[in-house]
Amino acid sequence: MDGKLHAVIGAGTGVAVAQSIGMEPVETAVLMGAGIIAGLVPDLDTAGKLANKISLSHKMIQGFVRTTGILAGAYAWFGLSGYAMYIGLALGIFLLLIAPKFSQKLMLLISGVAVIAAGLAMSEIWVWLSGSYVAGAALVAHRSYTHSIIGLIFFAIIAFYVNERFAMEGLFWTLVLGYASHLLADMRFIPGNKRGIKLFLPFSQKGV
Ligand SMILES: [Zn+2]
């Protein structure tokens, strides 16, 4: 399903939770935001817009590595001689060759690892758990583990610690139900979803 629809359903989930516990408009808006985030998170496993937003642009990194390679090569060619020149040229060529390898998925993985490191440094469980989720999403195939019960449980653990940290009524359930709404909306019984999701990974590959 389309990202915009997931966002709308996630927002609706947040509003519904807020309504059910009789919240004020401001808190309702916060839960709405939390619902949108939770409703979009499972698609981090796609090389898509959301993944792009939270990771450094792979195109930018590619350009940077390529430019550095050209500069290193030029510097070696014009400024160095003998061994040093060959090493400089080899380094330049090496950088040009690896530049295209900086894919969006790799940047997402690197970003996830950076968030894990930051979370560990700050001793914030929810931060490094979120980083683990992001890094994991970068490594798995689209609509696999992030769209399974295991993914939902992992996200619920993150939601638990987010709620511990920010202690807001309805936050935990908004996050969990927002995430669950995404899985539901991607299921086969919804018209337009041909593939469905592998809800029972790793125990079953069957799409539901
Ligand atoms: Zn999805």
Side-chain angles (χ1 to χ4, degrees):
M1 186 174 272
D2 182 61
K4 271 185 212 123
L5 268 168
H6 280 306
V8 170
I9 299 170
T13 308
V15 172
V17 171
Q19 289 286 317
S20 73
I21 49 181
M23 274 185 146
E24 300 295 319
V26 176
E27 291 157 318
T28 303
V30 173
L31 287 192
M32 212 172 108
I36 291 174
I37 293 169
L40 289 173
V41 154
D43 278 348
L44 272 179
D45 60 9
T46 338
K49 274 190 206 140
L50 180 64
N52 231 345
K53 264 194 194 123
I54 68 160
S55 58
L56 285 165
S57 155
H58 65 291
K59 293 230 172 79
M60 217 174 74
I61 300 289
Q62 285 180 1
F64 177 74
V65 173
R66 211 172 275 131
T67 311
T68 311
I70 292 168
L71 289 178
Y75 174 73
W77 182 254
F78 293 111
L80 302 174
S81 60
Y83 253 140
M85 182 184 83
Y86 289 115
I87 291 171
L89 285 176
L91 176 70
I93 292 167
F94 173 73
L95 290 176
L96 285 179
L97 288 177
I98 63 159
K101 304 263 184 253
F102 287 89
S103 62
Q104 194 186 33
K105 283 226 159 190
L106 179 63
M107 294 319 299
L108 190 63
L109 177 64
I110 293 171
S111 307
V113 171
V115 173
I116 295 173
L120 290 175
M122 302 186 298
S123 303
E124 287 278 8
I125 298 177
W126 74 275
V127 174
W128 65 256
L129 278 178
S130 301
S132 315
Y133 183 97
V134 171
L139 292 172
V140 299
H142 180 43
R143 286 191 168 199
S144 62
Y145 283 94
T146 56
H147 290 60
S148 71
I149 290 175
I150 290 206
L152 177 61
I153 292 172
F154 191 87
F155 189 77
I157 295 170
I158 297 175
F160 173 81
Y161 285 106
V162 168
N163 195 54
E164 287 263 288
R165 179 72 180 72
F166 298 100
M168 183 181 174
E169 208 189 343
L171 184 57
F172 174 79
W173 283 110
T174 297
L175 290 171
V176 170
L177 294 176
Y179 195 99
S181 80
H182 183 114
L183 302 193
L184 262 177
D186 272 355
M187 279 183 191
R188 230 195 225 142
F189 72 91
I190 306 276
N193 293 339
K194 275 187 209 120
R195 280 200 308 160
I197 57 170
K198 293 169 182 164
L199 194 60
F200 303 105
L201 277 175
F203 307 107
S204 161
Q205 296 281 333
K206 203 174 168 300
V208 295

